[in-house]
Amino acid sequence: MKHLVLPANTDGRDFFVGDLHGLKDRLDAALDAHDFDPARDRLISVGDLVDRGPASAACLALVDQPWMWAVRGNHEQMLLDALDGGDWSLWLANGGDWALDAAPQTLAAAHARAAALPVALSVAQPDGGPPVGVTHAQCPVAHWAQIDAALDAQGDAAQEALWGRSVLRAGVAQRTGGVRATVHGHTRLPAPRRLGTALFIDTGAVSGGALTLDTLDGLTARAEAPFQRA
C-alpha cells in the first residue's frame, strides 16, 4: 500500500515523532513526558525507525501496536532493497550493520514490517477539515488529492517522498493544497522548521539532538520562527 488514510482520532491526541533510528528508550521517555495514553492517543512516525541506534528491530516492531503508525523512510527502503537481494553496501554504510548480527527470523520480520509501511499517510482531522499529510522526506505533490496518482505513476514522486531535500535546501515556503499541513523528517535540523504548509521535525536525535515528539499544534507553535538557511 502506497497511501494509507487514517480516520480521525475523536477520543484522544495524535502525536508526530521525528526520525527514531533505533532510539526506543528515548521514545519511551518522550511518550511518558507527554502522558501518552495508548488507549486513546496515537503516535505517527515520519519514518526511519531503523539504523544507527541500538534498537532498530524493536522500533520497527512498534508498528504492530494499534496506537502506532508510520510511513516508510529511506532507511526502511534501504533495508528492503538489501534484503530483497540488492547491494548491501549503501545500507551498511548508513547504519544497517545491526542486520549483520540479527537472527534470520528478526530480519524476516523487519522486512515484512517495512514492506507494509505506506509511503504516504493521510490523517483525518476530528473537525472535518483537511487532513494532515505525512511523507518521510518532503511532499511530492502540489495538491494532496494528487498523492495516489503520483505514487502510482512510475515517476519521481516516491523517490522525492523518500529522499527529497529540495524544499529545505531552497528555503522557500511550500504550499500544498488540500491539507492542513504536511509533516516530514529525513533532514536533520537544530529545531523543527515550518515552510508554508510543510513541517520538518527530524532534529537529529541519533546524533545527539533532541527527539521531536508533539501534537501538530505543538509542532506548529514551536516552528513559528522564520526559516533560516544553514
Side-chain angles (χ1 to χ4, degrees):
M1 181 181 298
K2 296 177 182 177
H3 175 213
L4 178 65
V5 178
L6 296 186
N9 182 2
T10 57
D11 295 325
R13 301 165 294 172
D14 283 342
F15 289 91
F16 297 84
V17 65
D19 300 26
L20 278 178
H21 285 301
L23 299 178
K24 189 174 183 300
D25 288 347
R26 294 277 299 275
L27 174 63
D28 291 340
L31 292 173
D32 286 345
H34 284 280
D35 295 321
F36 183 86
D37 181 354
R40 300 172 63 247
D41 300 331
R42 298 189 298 199
L43 181 64
I44 299 163
S45 163
V46 296
D48 279 7
L49 298 167
V50 301
D51 300 345
R52 297 183 175 141
S56 287
C59 280
L60 189 52
L62 289 171
V63 300
D64 294 346
Q65 299 298 322
W67 46 265
M68 173 74 169
W69 302 88
V71 293
R72 185 183 302 184
N74 64 306
H75 280 260
E76 283 80 41
Q77 188 61 54
M78 286 188 282
L79 178 156
L80 291 170
D81 292 343
L83 296 183
D84 283 337
D87 185 357
W88 279 58
S89 60
L90 179 63
W91 188 30
L92 294 177
N94 286 279
D97 50 329
W98 63 274
L100 298 175
D101 298 320
Q105 59 268 32
T106 299
L107 292 182
H111 182 281
R113 289 172 177 131
L117 295 178
V119 175
L121 273 173
S122 293
V123 185
Q125 299 300 288
D127 62 4
V132 175
V134 185
T135 59
H136 176 59
Q138 63 185 36
C139 181
V141 292
H143 196 287
W144 194 248
Q146 302 166 337
I147 192 67
D148 287 295
L151 294 177
D152 285 341
Q154 299 302 312
D156 297 330
Q159 184 80 358
E160 186 177 348
L162 291 170
W163 295 90
R165 287 195 168 100
S166 60
V167 174
L168 276 170
R169 284 173 175 164
V172 176
Q174 184 177 36
R175 305 209 179 271
T176 303
V179 288
R180 181 178 173 191
T182 62
V183 185
H184 316 282
H186 186 54
T187 301
R188 298 179 195 177
L189 299 165
R193 294 284 188 252
R194 181 174 64 88
L195 284 172
T197 54
L199 280 164
F200 297 89
I201 65 169
D202 177 17
T203 44
V206 78
S207 56
L211 177 64
T212 293
L213 185 152
D214 212 334
T215 63
L216 184 69
D217 288 343
L219 292 171
T220 302
R222 293 165 60 185
E224 281 293 335
F227 178 77
Q228 300 292 325
R229 297 191 191 188

